[in-house]
Amino acid sequence: PIMGAELLDTTARIITRTNPVGVFSLRTAAGATVVVRALGFQRRTVVVNDSTPTIYLQPSATTLATMVTTAGQ
C-alpha cells in the first residue's frame, strides 16, 4: 500500500489521494483515463473499466543529487 498517492482523472479533471493504508475512492466513468503518481514510484496511466482496480506502481530508480549543508559559520 502507498499512502498519499495522487490519482488524477484526466477526463473529468478530478483529483484524489490514497489514505494511510493505500485505499482510494474515485467516481469516474468507464473508459476514463486516470494517472497515478507517488513520490519514489514511476507514474502509471490506467484506463478504467467496470471492475474495481488494484493498481500497482513500480519503484522509481531515481538517484537524488548530493546536497551539502553548513551550520552557522
Side-chain angles (χ1 to χ4, degrees):
I2 301 171
M3 178 177 94
E6 180 181 271
L7 296 97
L8 167 63
D9 177 343
T10 60
T11 306
R13 302 244 181 234
I14 299 170
I15 298 174
T16 191
R17 291 189 186 274
T18 57
N19 69 13
V21 293
V23 176
F24 67 92
S25 176
L26 181 65
R27 289 181 178 243
T28 190
T33 301
V34 175
V35 176
V36 185
R37 60 185 181 183
L39 186 61
F41 293 88
Q42 294 177 10
R43 177 182 295 197
R44 174 121 189 243
T45 301
V46 178
V47 176
V48 177
N49 58 29
D50 292 330
S51 67
T52 303
T54 299
I55 300 170
Y56 296 96
L57 299 180
Q58 296 297 321
S60 178
T62 304
T63 304
L64 298 177
T66 304
M67 180 171 59
V68 177
T69 60
T70 58
Q73 291 183 1

